Amino acid sequence: MTELAIEEEINASANDIKIHGPEGFDGMRKAGRLAAECLDMLTEHVEPGVTTEYLDTLVREMVLDNGALSATIGYRGYRHATCISLNHVICHGIPGPKALKNGDIMNIDVTVIVDGWHGDTSRMYYAGEPKVKARRLVETTYEAMMAGINAVKPGATLRDIGKAIQTLGEGQGFSIVRDFCGHGLGQVFHSPPNVVHYAEFKDRWGGIHRAAETPITPGMFFTIEPMINDGKPDVKVMKDGWTAVSRDKSLSAQFEHSIGVTADGFEIFTQSPKGLHCPPYV
Ligand code: MF3
Ligand code: CO
Ligand code: CO
């Protein structure tokens, strides 16, 4: 996801947003499908005792076996094919040698490049049996992403997406992370517009932040990737420069799809071919 710290850099006026035709949709279908197949493949490998770097290796090899590229290897110095964000890690967790424990929840995020097009998607996974509260957070986050996606149609605005997500997440007593957002994508990994996951919030100095009412039009490609916390929404980035955690160490969940806007709604490019949308997957 895009850091809002670079909001200025990609602050979209509607005419910076690329509008794609049928070749774009074809390209995104292929890229989105491979990214989703990587996440499908992982479902049977996530269990207590397995390391996150092992899961990363499985994805790296699957991407290369399919003649594709990982978009994240080499991206701003990142060196892995996945981000694996455990428990209180919000996003950009770095795969490593630590073994999963029973009850861990994690987001695994994969971005591939197929014939120049980017497929970017993530899902939550459970190692063993998570607590009831963790399951509720994960299920709510999935529903929030889908509510955001279902708000996509020509005539609506990007703010309507954030409104749907915020209403659902906060309605369940959780908080929406504001420091990262969805993004345009296509032949570029991160491009305009920013797709924020709220309609409006007040920061701790009382400043009001309102999502842009950018019109949604056919041929736009972007991600919707809400991060939702069990505690406060505040983020801290660790000294490694990547790992973003909840400041209060509360559990965090995320799902992500890449979508295209059609004449009357949306197409999800990263739908699971096996129907493995939300855990538990077995
Ligand atoms: N896939 C992430 C996103 O949703 C971006 C990861 S960039 C990385 O936009 F370098 F951390 F991998
Ligand atoms: Co993304
Ligand atoms: Co992603």
Side-chain angles (χ1 to χ4, degrees), residues 43-86:
T43 56
E44 45 190 278
H45 295 282
V46 176
E47 57 190 1
V50 163
T51 67
T52 54
E53 68 192 5
Y54 172 70
L55 299 171
D56 183 74
T57 299
L58 292 176
V59 171
R60 190 183 63 234
E61 287 175 353
M62 179 162 169
V63 171
L64 298 177
D65 287 349
N66 280 273
L69 295 171
S70 162
T72 54
I73 297 175
Y75 178 77
R76 296 181 178 215
Y78 196 76
R79 306 166 64 82
H80 307 272
T82 60
C83 297
I84 304 187
S85 303
L86 272 168

Short mmCIF file of all heavy atoms in Angstrom, two decimals, residues 43-86:
data_model
loop_
_atom_site.label_atom_id
_atom_site.label_comp_id
_atom_site.label_asym_id
_atom_site.label_seq_id
_atom_site.Cartn_x
_atom_site.Cartn_y
_atom_site.Cartn_z
N THR A 43 -2.32 -21.52 1.38
CA THR A 43 -3.28 -21.91 2.43
C THR A 43 -2.89 -23.21 3.12
O THR A 43 -3.07 -23.34 4.32
CB THR A 43 -4.73 -22.04 1.89
OG1 THR A 43 -4.73 -22.96 0.80
CG2 THR A 43 -5.27 -20.70 1.42
N GLU A 44 -2.32 -24.15 2.36
CA GLU A 44 -2.00 -25.43 3.01
C GLU A 44 -0.63 -25.45 3.67
O GLU A 44 -0.25 -26.44 4.28
CB GLU A 44 -2.15 -26.60 2.03
CG GLU A 44 -1.57 -26.37 0.67
CD GLU A 44 -2.00 -27.49 -0.28
OE1 GLU A 44 -1.35 -28.55 -0.24
OE2 GLU A 44 -2.98 -27.30 -1.02
N HIS A 45 0.11 -24.35 3.56
CA HIS A 45 1.45 -24.31 4.16
C HIS A 45 1.51 -23.51 5.45
O HIS A 45 2.51 -23.59 6.17
CB HIS A 45 2.44 -23.74 3.15
CG HIS A 45 2.62 -24.61 1.94
ND1 HIS A 45 3.38 -25.75 1.96
CD2 HIS A 45 2.07 -24.53 0.71
CE1 HIS A 45 3.33 -26.32 0.77
NE2 HIS A 45 2.54 -25.61 -0.01
N VAL A 46 0.50 -22.71 5.71
CA VAL A 46 0.54 -21.86 6.91
C VAL A 46 0.12 -22.69 8.12
O VAL A 46 -1.05 -23.08 8.23
CB VAL A 46 -0.37 -20.63 6.76
CG1 VAL A 46 -0.40 -19.82 8.06
CG2 VAL A 46 0.10 -19.75 5.60
N GLU A 47 1.06 -22.99 9.00
CA GLU A 47 0.75 -23.74 10.23
C GLU A 47 1.84 -23.50 11.26
O GLU A 47 2.93 -23.04 10.91
CB GLU A 47 0.58 -25.23 9.93
CG GLU A 47 1.79 -25.85 9.28
CD GLU A 47 1.52 -27.27 8.77
OE1 GLU A 47 0.38 -27.75 8.92
OE2 GLU A 47 2.46 -27.88 8.25
N PRO A 48 1.53 -23.79 12.52
CA PRO A 48 2.54 -23.58 13.56
C PRO A 48 3.82 -24.33 13.23
O PRO A 48 3.77 -25.45 12.71
CB PRO A 48 1.87 -24.16 14.82
CG PRO A 48 0.40 -24.04 14.56
CD PRO A 48 0.24 -24.27 13.09
N GLY A 49 4.97 -23.69 13.49
CA GLY A 49 6.27 -24.32 13.25
C GLY A 49 6.93 -23.87 11.97
O GLY A 49 8.15 -23.94 11.82
N VAL A 50 6.13 -23.40 11.01
CA VAL A 50 6.67 -22.95 9.72
C VAL A 50 7.22 -21.53 9.86
O VAL A 50 6.67 -20.72 10.61
CB VAL A 50 5.53 -23.01 8.68
CG1 VAL A 50 5.84 -22.20 7.45
CG2 VAL A 50 5.21 -24.46 8.33
N THR A 51 8.31 -21.23 9.16
CA THR A 51 8.85 -19.86 9.23
C THR A 51 8.26 -19.01 8.11
O THR A 51 7.86 -19.52 7.06
CB THR A 51 10.38 -19.84 9.09
OG1 THR A 51 10.73 -20.24 7.75
CG2 THR A 51 11.06 -20.76 10.09
N THR A 52 8.23 -17.70 8.35
CA THR A 52 7.68 -16.82 7.32
C THR A 52 8.62 -16.75 6.12
O THR A 52 8.17 -16.55 5.00
CB THR A 52 7.36 -15.43 7.89
OG1 THR A 52 8.52 -14.89 8.52
CG2 THR A 52 6.23 -15.51 8.91
N GLU A 53 9.93 -16.95 6.32
CA GLU A 53 10.81 -16.92 5.14
C GLU A 53 10.62 -18.15 4.26
O GLU A 53 10.80 -18.07 3.05
CB GLU A 53 12.29 -16.69 5.51
CG GLU A 53 12.96 -17.79 6.24
CD GLU A 53 14.31 -17.36 6.83
OE1 GLU A 53 14.69 -16.18 6.74
OE2 GLU A 53 14.97 -18.25 7.40
N TYR A 54 10.18 -19.26 4.87
CA TYR A 54 9.84 -20.44 4.05
C TYR A 54 8.63 -20.13 3.16
O TYR A 54 8.62 -20.43 1.97
CB TYR A 54 9.55 -21.64 4.95
CG TYR A 54 9.02 -22.84 4.22
CD1 TYR A 54 9.83 -23.57 3.36
CD2 TYR A 54 7.67 -23.22 4.35
CE1 TYR A 54 9.33 -24.67 2.65
CE2 TYR A 54 7.16 -24.31 3.65
CZ TYR A 54 7.99 -25.03 2.81
OH TYR A 54 7.50 -26.10 2.11
N LEU A 55 7.61 -19.50 3.75
CA LEU A 55 6.42 -19.13 2.97
C LEU A 55 6.80 -18.18 1.84
O LEU A 55 6.31 -18.29 0.71
CB LEU A 55 5.37 -18.49 3.88
CG LEU A 55 4.84 -19.39 5.02
CD1 LEU A 55 3.98 -18.58 6.00
CD2 LEU A 55 4.07 -20.59 4.46
N ASP A 56 7.72 -17.27 2.14
CA ASP A 56 8.18 -16.32 1.11
C ASP A 56 8.87 -17.04 -0.04
O ASP A 56 8.66 -16.72 -1.22
CB ASP A 56 9.13 -15.30 1.75
CG ASP A 56 9.57 -14.24 0.76
OD1 ASP A 56 8.74 -13.37 0.42
OD2 ASP A 56 10.72 -14.30 0.30
N THR A 57 9.70 -18.05 0.31
CA THR A 57 10.40 -18.82 -0.72
C THR A 57 9.41 -19.55 -1.63
O THR A 57 9.60 -19.60 -2.85
CB THR A 57 11.35 -19.84 -0.05
OG1 THR A 57 12.30 -19.10 0.71
CG2 THR A 57 12.08 -20.69 -1.08
N LEU A 58 8.35 -20.10 -1.04
CA LEU A 58 7.34 -20.79 -1.85
C LEU A 58 6.75 -19.84 -2.89
O LEU A 58 6.54 -20.21 -4.05
CB LEU A 58 6.22 -21.33 -0.96
CG LEU A 58 6.58 -22.48 -0.01
CD1 LEU A 58 5.37 -22.82 0.86
CD2 LEU A 58 7.03 -23.71 -0.79
N VAL A 59 6.47 -18.61 -2.48
CA VAL A 59 5.88 -17.64 -3.41
C VAL A 59 6.90 -17.23 -4.46
O VAL A 59 6.60 -17.19 -5.66
CB VAL A 59 5.34 -16.40 -2.66
CG1 VAL A 59 4.93 -15.30 -3.63
CG2 VAL A 59 4.17 -16.79 -1.76
N ARG A 60 8.13 -16.94 -4.03
CA ARG A 60 9.15 -16.51 -4.99
C ARG A 60 9.31 -17.55 -6.09
O ARG A 60 9.35 -17.24 -7.28
CB ARG A 60 10.48 -16.27 -4.26
CG ARG A 60 11.52 -15.58 -5.14
CD ARG A 60 12.86 -15.42 -4.44
NE ARG A 60 13.44 -16.70 -4.11
CZ ARG A 60 13.84 -17.08 -2.90
NH1 ARG A 60 13.75 -16.23 -1.88
NH2 ARG A 60 14.36 -18.27 -2.70
N GLU A 61 9.36 -18.84 -5.68
CA GLU A 61 9.56 -19.91 -6.68
C GLU A 61 8.35 -20.07 -7.58
O GLU A 61 8.49 -20.27 -8.79
CB GLU A 61 9.92 -21.21 -5.96
CG GLU A 61 11.34 -21.13 -5.42
CD GLU A 61 11.77 -22.32 -4.57
OE1 GLU A 61 10.91 -23.18 -4.27
OE2 GLU A 61 12.97 -22.38 -4.21
N MET A 62 7.16 -19.94 -7.01
CA MET A 62 5.96 -20.09 -7.84
C MET A 62 5.87 -18.97 -8.88
O MET A 62 5.50 -19.20 -10.04
CB MET A 62 4.70 -20.09 -6.96
CG MET A 62 3.43 -20.22 -7.76
SD MET A 62 2.06 -20.74 -6.72
CE MET A 62 0.70 -20.45 -7.87
N VAL A 63 6.23 -17.76 -8.48
CA VAL A 63 6.19 -16.63 -9.41
C VAL A 63 7.17 -16.88 -10.57
O VAL A 63 6.80 -16.75 -11.75
CB VAL A 63 6.52 -15.31 -8.67
CG1 VAL A 63 6.70 -14.16 -9.65
CG2 VAL A 63 5.42 -14.99 -7.66
N LEU A 64 8.39 -17.28 -10.22
CA LEU A 64 9.40 -17.50 -11.26
C LEU A 64 9.04 -18.69 -12.15
O LEU A 64 9.19 -18.64 -13.37
CB LEU A 64 10.79 -17.69 -10.63
CG LEU A 64 11.29 -16.47 -9.84
CD1 LEU A 64 12.64 -16.75 -9.19
CD2 LEU A 64 11.37 -15.22 -10.72
N ASP A 65 8.49 -19.76 -11.54
CA ASP A 65 8.06 -20.94 -12.32
C ASP A 65 7.00 -20.58 -13.35
O ASP A 65 6.81 -21.28 -14.33
CB ASP A 65 7.48 -22.03 -11.39
CG ASP A 65 8.56 -22.75 -10.59
OD1 ASP A 65 9.76 -22.56 -10.90
OD2 ASP A 65 8.19 -23.48 -9.65
N ASN A 66 6.27 -19.52 -13.08
CA ASN A 66 5.22 -19.08 -14.01
C ASN A 66 5.71 -18.01 -14.99
O ASN A 66 4.91 -17.38 -15.68
CB ASN A 66 4.01 -18.57 -13.22
CG ASN A 66 3.15 -19.72 -12.72
OD1 ASN A 66 2.27 -20.20 -13.43
ND2 ASN A 66 3.42 -20.21 -11.52
N GLY A 67 7.03 -17.82 -15.02
CA GLY A 67 7.60 -16.87 -15.97
C GLY A 67 7.26 -15.42 -15.65
O GLY A 67 7.33 -14.55 -16.51
N ALA A 68 6.91 -15.18 -14.40
CA ALA A 68 6.54 -13.81 -13.98
C ALA A 68 7.64 -13.23 -13.09
O ALA A 68 8.64 -13.89 -12.80
CB ALA A 68 5.21 -13.85 -13.24
N LEU A 69 7.44 -12.00 -12.67
CA LEU A 69 8.38 -11.33 -11.77
C LEU A 69 7.65 -10.95 -10.48
O LEU A 69 6.46 -10.69 -10.49
CB LEU A 69 8.91 -10.04 -12.40
CG LEU A 69 9.75 -10.17 -13.66
CD1 LEU A 69 9.99 -8.79 -14.27
CD2 LEU A 69 11.09 -10.84 -13.30
N SER A 70 8.41 -10.91 -9.39
CA SER A 70 7.89 -10.33 -8.15
C SER A 70 8.08 -8.81 -8.24
O SER A 70 9.19 -8.34 -8.52
CB SER A 70 8.68 -10.87 -6.95
OG SER A 70 8.47 -10.01 -5.84
N ALA A 71 7.02 -8.07 -7.98
CA ALA A 71 7.11 -6.60 -8.05
C ALA A 71 7.81 -6.03 -6.82
O ALA A 71 8.26 -4.88 -6.83
CB ALA A 71 5.72 -5.99 -8.17
N THR A 72 7.85 -6.81 -5.74
CA THR A 72 8.38 -6.25 -4.49
C THR A 72 9.90 -6.46 -4.37
O THR A 72 10.55 -5.68 -3.67
CB THR A 72 7.67 -6.87 -3.27
OG1 THR A 72 7.76 -8.29 -3.34
CG2 THR A 72 6.21 -6.46 -3.23
N ILE A 73 10.44 -7.50 -5.04
CA ILE A 73 11.89 -7.72 -4.96
C ILE A 73 12.57 -6.59 -5.73
O ILE A 73 12.36 -6.44 -6.94
CB ILE A 73 12.29 -9.11 -5.52
CG1 ILE A 73 11.66 -10.21 -4.67
CG2 ILE A 73 13.81 -9.25 -5.55
CD1 ILE A 73 11.88 -11.63 -5.20
N GLY A 74 13.36 -5.78 -4.99
CA GLY A 74 14.02 -4.64 -5.61
C GLY A 74 13.21 -3.35 -5.54
O GLY A 74 13.69 -2.28 -5.92
N TYR A 75 11.98 -3.43 -5.01
CA TYR A 75 11.15 -2.22 -4.91
C TYR A 75 11.61 -1.38 -3.72
O TYR A 75 11.51 -1.83 -2.58
CB TYR A 75 9.67 -2.61 -4.75
CG TYR A 75 8.74 -1.44 -4.59
CD1 TYR A 75 8.36 -0.67 -5.68
CD2 TYR A 75 8.26 -1.09 -3.33
CE1 TYR A 75 7.51 0.41 -5.53
CE2 TYR A 75 7.40 -0.01 -3.17
CZ TYR A 75 7.04 0.74 -4.28
OH TYR A 75 6.21 1.81 -4.11
N ARG A 76 12.13 -0.18 -3.97
CA ARG A 76 12.65 0.70 -2.91
C ARG A 76 13.55 -0.05 -1.94
O ARG A 76 13.50 0.18 -0.73
CB ARG A 76 11.50 1.36 -2.14
CG ARG A 76 10.66 2.28 -3.00
CD ARG A 76 9.57 2.92 -2.18
NE ARG A 76 8.80 3.86 -3.01
CZ ARG A 76 8.28 5.01 -2.57
NH1 ARG A 76 8.46 5.38 -1.32
NH2 ARG A 76 7.60 5.78 -3.37
N GLY A 77 14.33 -1.00 -2.47
CA GLY A 77 15.28 -1.74 -1.64
C GLY A 77 14.70 -2.94 -0.91
O GLY A 77 15.42 -3.63 -0.19
N TYR A 78 13.41 -3.22 -1.11
CA TYR A 78 12.80 -4.41 -0.47
C TYR A 78 13.34 -5.66 -1.17
O TYR A 78 13.61 -5.64 -2.37
CB TYR A 78 11.27 -4.33 -0.58
CG TYR A 78 10.54 -5.27 0.36
CD1 TYR A 78 10.44 -4.98 1.72
CD2 TYR A 78 9.96 -6.44 -0.12
CE1 TYR A 78 9.77 -5.84 2.58
CE2 TYR A 78 9.29 -7.31 0.74
CZ TYR A 78 9.20 -7.00 2.09
OH TYR A 78 8.53 -7.85 2.94
N ARG A 79 13.50 -6.79 -0.42
CA ARG A 79 14.21 -7.93 -0.98
C ARG A 79 13.39 -9.22 -0.99
O ARG A 79 13.95 -10.30 -1.19
CB ARG A 79 15.51 -8.16 -0.19
CG ARG A 79 16.37 -6.91 -0.12
CD ARG A 79 17.45 -7.02 0.94
NE ARG A 79 18.38 -8.08 0.60
CZ ARG A 79 19.39 -7.95 -0.25
NH1 ARG A 79 19.60 -6.80 -0.86
NH2 ARG A 79 20.19 -8.97 -0.49
N HIS A 80 12.09 -9.15 -0.79
CA HIS A 80 11.28 -10.36 -0.64
C HIS A 80 10.08 -10.35 -1.59
O HIS A 80 9.67 -9.30 -2.06
CB HIS A 80 10.82 -10.50 0.81
CG HIS A 80 11.96 -10.43 1.78
ND1 HIS A 80 12.68 -11.54 2.16
CD2 HIS A 80 12.55 -9.37 2.37
CE1 HIS A 80 13.65 -11.16 2.98
NE2 HIS A 80 13.60 -9.85 3.12
N ALA A 81 9.55 -11.57 -1.82
CA ALA A 81 8.41 -11.71 -2.74
C ALA A 81 7.07 -11.50 -2.05
O ALA A 81 6.03 -11.46 -2.70
CB ALA A 81 8.44 -13.10 -3.39
N THR A 82 7.11 -11.41 -0.72
CA THR A 82 5.88 -11.21 0.07
C THR A 82 6.15 -10.19 1.17
O THR A 82 7.30 -9.95 1.54
CB THR A 82 5.46 -12.51 0.79
OG1 THR A 82 6.52 -12.90 1.67
CG2 THR A 82 5.17 -13.64 -0.19
N CYS A 83 5.08 -9.63 1.70
CA CYS A 83 5.12 -9.02 3.02
C CYS A 83 4.29 -9.94 3.91
O CYS A 83 3.18 -10.34 3.50
CB CYS A 83 4.52 -7.62 3.02
SG CYS A 83 5.42 -6.44 1.99
N ILE A 84 4.81 -10.29 5.08
CA ILE A 84 4.06 -11.16 6.00
C ILE A 84 3.96 -10.43 7.33
O ILE A 84 4.97 -10.19 8.01
CB ILE A 84 4.73 -12.54 6.13
CG1 ILE A 84 4.87 -13.19 4.73
CG2 ILE A 84 3.90 -13.43 7.08
CD1 ILE A 84 5.35 -14.62 4.71
N SER A 85 2.74 -10.03 7.66
CA SER A 85 2.51 -9.12 8.79
C SER A 85 1.73 -9.86 9.87
O SER A 85 0.54 -10.14 9.72
CB SER A 85 1.75 -7.89 8.29
OG SER A 85 2.49 -7.27 7.24
N LEU A 86 2.46 -10.18 10.95
CA LEU A 86 1.93 -11.04 12.02
C LEU A 86 1.31 -10.23 13.14
O LEU A 86 1.93 -9.27 13.64
CB LEU A 86 3.11 -11.78 12.66
CG LEU A 86 3.56 -13.12 12.08
CD1 LEU A 86 4.91 -13.50 12.68
CD2 LEU A 86 2.52 -14.19 12.41
#
